[in-house]
Amino acid sequence: MNKGRYLIFFLLFSFFTTFVYSAPTWYEGIFLEGSAHNYFVPDVLKELAETKVGFRGALGYEYNNFRFALESGFSRITGTNPLVLQIDLIPLTFKFGYAYHIRYGLGLQADLGLGAAFSKTQHYKSVLAIVLDDLQESQEKSPFSTVRFYAIYSPSDIIKFYLGGGADLIFEEDGLIPLPLLEAGISFKFGKLIKRSDNNEQHFILNR
Protein backbone atom coordinates (compact mmCIF):
# COMPACT_ATOMS: atom_id res chain seq x y z
CA MET A 1 0.00 0.00 0.00
CA ASN A 2 2.80 2.43 0.91
CA LYS A 3 4.63 1.55 -2.29
CA GLY A 4 1.51 2.51 -4.26
CA ARG A 5 1.34 5.89 -2.52
CA TYR A 6 5.01 6.55 -3.21
CA LEU A 7 4.48 5.58 -6.84
CA ILE A 8 1.50 7.98 -7.20
CA PHE A 9 3.46 10.77 -5.52
CA PHE A 10 6.43 10.14 -7.82
CA LEU A 11 4.22 10.16 -10.93
CA LEU A 12 2.48 13.42 -9.90
CA PHE A 13 5.80 15.04 -9.04
CA SER A 14 7.25 13.93 -12.38
CA PHE A 15 4.20 15.25 -14.23
CA PHE A 16 4.31 18.74 -12.70
CA THR A 17 8.08 18.96 -13.03
CA THR A 18 7.92 17.94 -16.67
CA PHE A 19 5.08 20.42 -17.32
CA VAL A 20 6.94 23.33 -15.76
CA TYR A 21 10.22 22.69 -17.55
CA SER A 22 8.94 21.46 -20.89
CA ALA A 23 6.19 24.06 -21.33
CA PRO A 24 7.51 27.22 -19.69
CA THR A 25 5.73 29.44 -22.20
CA TRP A 26 2.13 28.52 -21.32
CA TYR A 27 1.67 31.90 -19.65
CA GLU A 28 2.77 33.94 -22.69
CA GLY A 29 -0.82 34.26 -23.89
CA ILE A 30 -2.12 35.95 -20.73
CA PHE A 31 -3.08 39.57 -21.32
CA LEU A 32 -4.56 42.58 -19.57
CA GLU A 33 -6.39 45.25 -21.50
CA GLY A 34 -8.17 48.48 -20.78
CA SER A 35 -10.20 50.84 -22.93
CA ALA A 36 -12.34 53.96 -23.00
CA HIS A 37 -15.59 54.04 -24.93
CA ASN A 38 -18.47 56.35 -25.69
CA TYR A 39 -22.04 55.36 -26.49
CA PHE A 40 -24.04 56.97 -29.26
CA VAL A 41 -27.61 57.44 -28.06
CA PRO A 42 -30.26 56.57 -30.69
CA ASP A 43 -31.99 59.59 -32.26
CA VAL A 44 -35.20 58.75 -30.44
CA LEU A 45 -33.48 59.20 -27.05
CA LYS A 46 -31.17 62.13 -27.83
CA GLU A 47 -33.48 64.60 -26.13
CA LEU A 48 -33.82 62.36 -23.06
CA ALA A 49 -30.29 61.17 -22.31
CA GLU A 50 -26.63 62.14 -22.58
CA THR A 51 -23.79 59.62 -22.44
CA LYS A 52 -20.49 59.95 -20.58
CA VAL A 53 -17.15 58.34 -21.41
CA GLY A 54 -17.05 54.81 -19.97
CA PHE A 55 -14.25 52.38 -19.21
CA ARG A 56 -13.69 48.64 -19.66
CA GLY A 57 -11.02 46.27 -18.41
CA ALA A 58 -10.39 42.61 -19.18
CA LEU A 59 -8.19 39.69 -18.18
CA GLY A 60 -7.80 37.03 -20.83
CA TYR A 61 -5.77 34.49 -22.73
CA GLU A 62 -4.76 34.37 -26.40
CA TYR A 63 -3.81 31.21 -28.24
CA ASN A 64 -3.06 31.07 -31.98
CA ASN A 65 -4.83 34.44 -32.43
CA PHE A 66 -7.98 33.18 -30.68
CA ARG A 67 -8.89 35.29 -27.65
CA PHE A 68 -10.88 34.53 -24.49
CA ALA A 69 -11.42 37.12 -21.74
CA LEU A 70 -13.53 38.14 -18.79
CA GLU A 71 -14.48 41.81 -19.08
CA SER A 72 -16.15 44.37 -16.85
CA GLY A 73 -16.35 48.14 -16.62
CA PHE A 74 -18.48 51.16 -15.93
CA SER A 75 -20.70 53.42 -18.04
CA ARG A 76 -22.97 56.30 -17.10
CA ILE A 77 -25.92 57.82 -18.92
CA THR A 78 -27.32 61.05 -17.51
CA GLY A 79 -30.93 61.90 -18.15
CA THR A 80 -32.07 65.25 -19.49
CA ASN A 81 -35.58 64.23 -18.52
CA PRO A 82 -36.16 65.67 -15.00
CA LEU A 83 -37.68 62.36 -13.85
CA VAL A 84 -34.58 60.27 -14.66
CA LEU A 85 -31.31 61.65 -13.30
CA GLN A 86 -28.78 58.99 -14.30
CA ILE A 87 -28.25 55.34 -15.16
CA ASP A 88 -25.06 53.52 -14.09
CA LEU A 89 -24.25 50.40 -16.07
CA ILE A 90 -21.77 47.69 -14.98
CA PRO A 91 -21.47 44.77 -17.44
CA LEU A 92 -19.82 41.45 -16.68
CA THR A 93 -19.19 39.51 -19.86
CA PHE A 94 -17.21 36.59 -21.19
CA LYS A 95 -15.92 37.57 -24.61
CA PHE A 96 -14.21 35.57 -27.30
CA GLY A 97 -12.75 36.62 -30.62
CA TYR A 98 -10.05 36.36 -33.23
CA ALA A 99 -7.18 38.69 -34.18
CA TYR A 100 -6.01 38.60 -37.81
CA HIS A 101 -2.53 40.04 -38.30
CA ILE A 102 -1.87 41.44 -41.77
CA ARG A 103 1.59 43.08 -41.96
CA TYR A 104 3.84 45.62 -40.21
CA GLY A 105 1.99 45.09 -36.94
CA LEU A 106 -1.37 46.01 -38.46
CA GLY A 107 -4.41 43.79 -38.35
CA LEU A 108 -8.09 43.32 -37.67
CA GLN A 109 -9.92 41.90 -34.68
CA ALA A 110 -13.48 40.84 -33.91
CA ASP A 111 -14.91 40.13 -30.45
CA LEU A 112 -18.25 38.74 -29.28
CA GLY A 113 -19.39 38.84 -25.66
CA LEU A 114 -22.15 37.31 -23.57
CA GLY A 115 -23.03 38.00 -19.95
CA ALA A 116 -25.13 40.24 -17.75
CA ALA A 117 -25.52 43.97 -17.20
CA PHE A 118 -26.12 45.35 -13.71
CA SER A 119 -27.79 48.76 -13.81
CA LYS A 120 -28.72 51.32 -11.16
CA THR A 121 -31.19 54.06 -12.04
CA GLN A 122 -31.81 57.20 -9.99
CA HIS A 123 -35.25 58.59 -10.77
CA TYR A 124 -38.41 60.29 -9.56
CA LYS A 125 -41.74 58.54 -9.99
CA SER A 126 -43.64 61.73 -10.74
CA VAL A 127 -43.42 65.52 -10.80
CA LEU A 128 -44.88 65.55 -7.28
CA ALA A 129 -41.96 63.34 -6.17
CA ILE A 130 -39.57 66.03 -7.48
CA VAL A 131 -41.28 68.63 -5.31
CA LEU A 132 -41.14 66.31 -2.29
CA ASP A 133 -37.51 65.39 -3.15
CA ASP A 134 -38.47 61.71 -3.15
CA LEU A 135 -35.51 60.40 -5.16
CA GLN A 136 -35.56 56.63 -5.68
CA GLU A 137 -33.05 54.04 -6.88
CA SER A 138 -33.86 50.88 -8.76
CA GLN A 139 -31.41 48.11 -9.57
CA GLU A 140 -31.81 45.55 -12.32
CA LYS A 141 -29.90 42.69 -13.89
CA SER A 142 -30.39 42.03 -17.59
CA PRO A 143 -28.91 39.68 -20.20
CA PHE A 144 -26.13 41.45 -22.04
CA SER A 145 -24.29 40.91 -25.31
CA THR A 146 -21.63 42.82 -27.20
CA VAL A 147 -20.23 42.86 -30.74
CA ARG A 148 -16.96 44.68 -31.55
CA PHE A 149 -14.76 45.18 -34.62
CA TYR A 150 -11.31 46.77 -34.36
CA ALA A 151 -8.32 47.90 -36.35
CA ILE A 152 -5.23 46.84 -34.37
CA TYR A 153 -1.58 47.85 -34.29
CA SER A 154 1.13 45.87 -32.49
CA PRO A 155 4.54 47.60 -32.38
CA SER A 156 5.79 44.52 -30.48
CA ASP A 157 4.45 41.16 -29.34
CA ILE A 158 3.84 42.63 -25.86
CA ILE A 159 1.67 45.69 -26.58
CA LYS A 160 -1.29 46.09 -28.89
CA PHE A 161 -3.40 49.20 -29.59
CA TYR A 162 -6.94 48.86 -30.90
CA LEU A 163 -9.58 51.25 -32.22
CA GLY A 164 -13.04 50.39 -33.43
CA GLY A 165 -16.67 50.13 -32.52
CA GLY A 166 -19.76 48.03 -32.44
CA ALA A 167 -22.74 47.79 -30.14
CA ASP A 168 -23.76 46.66 -26.69
CA LEU A 169 -27.11 44.91 -26.56
CA ILE A 170 -29.24 44.93 -23.40
CA PHE A 171 -32.21 42.55 -23.35
CA GLU A 172 -35.01 44.06 -21.27
CA GLU A 173 -38.53 42.74 -20.73
CA ASP A 174 -39.88 45.45 -23.05
CA GLY A 175 -37.43 44.55 -25.80
CA LEU A 176 -33.87 44.93 -27.05
CA ILE A 177 -31.90 48.14 -26.36
CA PRO A 178 -28.99 48.57 -28.82
CA LEU A 179 -26.24 50.99 -27.76
CA PRO A 180 -23.76 51.77 -30.58
CA LEU A 181 -20.29 52.76 -29.37
CA LEU A 182 -16.78 53.83 -30.35
CA GLU A 183 -13.88 52.34 -28.36
CA ALA A 184 -10.09 52.73 -28.10
CA GLY A 185 -7.78 50.74 -25.87
CA ILE A 186 -4.50 49.00 -25.20
CA SER A 187 -3.69 45.34 -24.57
CA PHE A 188 -0.61 44.20 -22.65
CA LYS A 189 0.77 40.64 -22.65
CA PHE A 190 2.62 40.62 -19.35
CA GLY A 191 3.29 36.87 -19.72
CA LYS A 192 5.68 37.57 -22.60
CA LEU A 193 7.43 40.18 -20.47
CA ILE A 194 7.91 37.60 -17.71
CA LYS A 195 9.36 35.16 -20.24
CA ARG A 196 11.81 37.77 -21.53
CA SER A 197 12.89 38.55 -17.98
CA ASP A 198 13.45 34.82 -17.38
CA ASN A 199 15.44 34.50 -20.62
CA ASN A 200 17.60 37.53 -19.77
CA GLU A 201 18.27 36.11 -16.31
CA GLN A 202 19.22 32.71 -17.73
CA HIS A 203 21.45 34.37 -20.34
CA PHE A 204 23.17 36.38 -17.59
CA ILE A 205 23.75 33.27 -15.47
CA LEU A 206 25.16 31.30 -18.42
CA ASN A 207 27.55 34.11 -19.33
CA ARG A 208 28.93 34.55 -15.83
Side-chain angles (χ1 to χ4, degrees):
M1 187 68 179
N2 289 333
K3 290 182 178 180
R5 290 179 181 177
Y6 290 138
L7 179 61
I8 293 173
F9 174 78
F10 175 75
L11 291 175
L12 290 174
F13 179 78
S14 301
F15 171 77
F16 286 113
T17 304
T18 304
F19 177 78
V20 169
Y21 283 98
S22 64
T25 59
W26 65 269
Y27 50 79
E28 285 188 72
I30 300 175
F31 64 83
L32 280 172
E33 63 186 25
S35 65
H37 68 274
N38 191 44
Y39 286 123
F40 294 94
V41 180
D43 293 336
V44 196
L45 302 175
K46 275 187 176 178
E47 296 182 358
L48 301 176
E50 179 183 349
T51 61
K52 304 293 183 182
V53 175
F55 304 93
R56 296 284 166 85
L59 172 65
Y61 190 83
E62 183 172 334
Y63 179 73
N64 285 344
N65 296 333
F66 287 96
R67 299 160 34 82
F68 309 90
L70 185 64
E71 181 182 71
S72 187
F74 177 80
S75 303
R76 172 167 289 174
I77 299 173
T78 57
T80 55
N81 183 328
L83 295 180
V84 180
L85 295 187
Q86 67 184 34
I87 302 172
D88 294 334
L89 181 66
I90 299 177
L92 182 62
T93 57
F94 174 75
K95 66 178 187 179
F96 51 94
Y98 184 81
Y100 178 70
H101 298 278
I102 302 174
R103 186 177 291 184
Y104 307 120
L106 300 173
L108 300 172
Q109 180 177 305
D111 288 341
L112 298 174
L114 296 172
F118 302 87
S119 61
K120 182 178 73 173
T121 305
Q122 296 183 2
H123 62 95
Y124 295 102
K125 281 192 173 181
S126 63
V127 177
L128 179 60
I130 298 178
V131 176
L132 298 175
D133 196 21
D134 184 18
L135 180 63
Q136 299 188 4
E137 286 188 357
S138 60
Q139 298 183 2
E140 293 186 9
K141 173 186 173 184
S142 308
F144 182 83
S145 180
T146 181
V147 181
R148 309 284 174 84
F149 299 95
Y150 304 106
I152 59 176
Y153 173 62
S154 304
S156 72
D157 57 353
I158 295 178
I159 295 179
K160 176 174 67 181
F161 300 94
Y162 55 94
L163 173 66
D168 286 346
L169 309 174
I170 303 175
F171 299 88
E172 298 283 358
E173 292 182 359
D174 298 333
L176 175 66
I177 302 176
L179 294 171
L181 60 87
L182 182 65
E183 182 180 19
I186 182 171
S187 182
F188 177 65
K189 285 187 177 178
F190 62 90
K192 285 187 175 290
L193 190 61
I194 295 173
K195 183 177 185 298
R196 287 189 180 181
S197 299
D198 291 342
N199 288 341
N200 291 337
E201 184 178 350
Q202 292 175 7
H203 181 72
F204 174 75
I205 292 173
L206 289 174
N207 288 332
R208 288 184 62 183

